[in-house]
Amino acid sequence: MSNEEDAVRESLRALAQLFINDGTLGDTLRRVCELACTITPAKYAGITMIVEGNPRTGVFTHEDAPEIDAAQYDLGEGPCMYAFRDQLIYRIDSTTDDARWPDFARTAAEHGIGSVLSVPLAARGESLGALNLYAEEAASFTAAHEQSLTLFADQASIALANAQVYWDSRQLSENLTQAIELRETIGQAVGILMAVGGRPPDAAFQILANASQRENRKVRDIAQEIVDRTVERGTEGTAG
């Protein structure tokens, strides 16, 4: 078995063992880029993603990557964009004479890049992005690299999809926890106002709402202030 085959096998093993709870989604994506560079002649790598409705180089191993990619994002044309849209591999063998995307190729050449390879990332029929590899020498990427990266991208896409689900679920969980805590805080404040003034629940809550409008503050902040003030008074009374 060749060294290149060993590297591919090792990278696939690393992807399979990529535990998403060991870091953020960004950490997972960055690790994918780093592993891709170990099985190709790429100097660095980046991943094209949709961020807030626009294509962006979400993660990268070198600061030049997003600068190069910006040339294609502005025009909506380039190997990364096409790989993302078509879910096909696109390759530039020489950035000095590529006629398909001259602006992108020229920018890449100005940054010392001689060849580019863009590989789609997709899972369950959904495009997740494109893995972009940049090499200093022309014709650095071969059909063998494309074949290896196809296997790599399949495994990477599964890792990314799982990571995305994990972090979406975690965000949902955090939001639900915050909502429960918010409801409890407001409920405590309403209870305090009911006890102090002998008010019914709806009248006590209306006091919070009126204060929110009058002071241009969130109801939860006013509720938290009432709860904190009541706890502080209770503590002072106990100390005395």
Side-chain angles (χ1 to χ4, degrees):
M1 183 176 294
S2 67
N3 291 335
E4 186 172 303
E5 290 174 331
D6 285 339
V8 172
R9 183 185 294 273
E10 185 60 33
S11 69
L12 292 175
R13 184 182 298 113
L15 280 175
Q17 297 174 351
L18 190 59
F19 293 105
I20 58 179
N21 59 342
D22 283 343
T24 65
L25 177 57
D27 293 332
T28 302
L29 294 168
R30 195 168 295 104
R31 183 58 178 152
V32 167
C33 290
E34 293 170 349
L35 288 171
C37 290
T38 66
I39 61 174
T40 67
K43 180 181 180 181
Y44 48 83
I47 295 181
T48 294
M49 311 168 60
I50 298 299
V51 180
E52 297 180 351
N54 297 304
R56 292 286 184 271
T57 303
V59 294
F60 43 89
T61 60
H62 193 280
E63 60 186 8
D64 282 359
E67 294 182 9
I68 295 173
D69 292 341
Q72 63 179 328
Y73 297 154
D74 292 340
L75 298 175
E77 294 185 349
C80 314
M81 294 294 296
Y82 276 60
F84 186 10
R85 293 172 180 171
D86 302 341
Q87 295 189 23
L88 296 172
I89 293 177
Y90 285 90
R91 189 172 79 196
I92 294 179
D93 288 326
S94 176
T95 56
T96 59
D97 58 13
D98 184 82
R100 292 169 298 176
W101 309 294
D103 290 337
F104 171 79
R106 182 173 57 256
T107 302
E110 290 172 351
H111 283 77
I113 296 301
S115 51
V116 179
L117 184 64
S118 295
V119 184
L121 298 172
R124 297 186 294 272
E126 178 182 354
S127 180
L128 302 176
L131 173 63
N132 312 308
L133 302 169
Y134 312 87
E136 292 180 301
E137 301 297 327
S140 291
F141 302 109
T142 65
H145 291 132
E146 291 187 11
Q147 184 176 3
S148 298
L149 282 168
T150 297
L151 296 174
F152 178 87
D154 288 343
Q155 188 67 46
S157 296
I158 294 173
L160 296 185
N162 289 339
Q164 197 169 46
V165 169
Y166 170 80
W167 286 104
D168 286 348
S169 299
R170 178 167 175 171
Q171 185 64 52
L172 175 60
S173 177
E174 290 176 352
N175 289 342
L176 288 174
T177 299
Q178 292 175 0
I180 291 173
E181 293 175 350
L182 170 62
R183 185 177 63 185
E184 290 178 349
T185 299
I186 293 177
Q188 290 172 358
V190 168
I192 292 171
L193 292 173
M194 289 172 61
V196 171
R199 305 176 181 88
D202 55 344
F205 180 80
Q206 191 60 48
I207 291 176
L208 293 176
N210 292 341
S212 173
Q213 293 178 352
R214 183 176 61 253
E215 300 176 21
N216 194 26
R217 297 169 59 199
K218 295 180 179 179
V219 169
R220 66 184 181 189
D221 293 338
I222 294 175
Q224 186 65 59
E225 186 177 276
I226 292 174
V227 172
D228 291 344
R229 190 163 55 236
T230 302
V231 171
E232 184 178 340
R233 288 172 180 170
T235 303
E236 291 175 352
T238 300

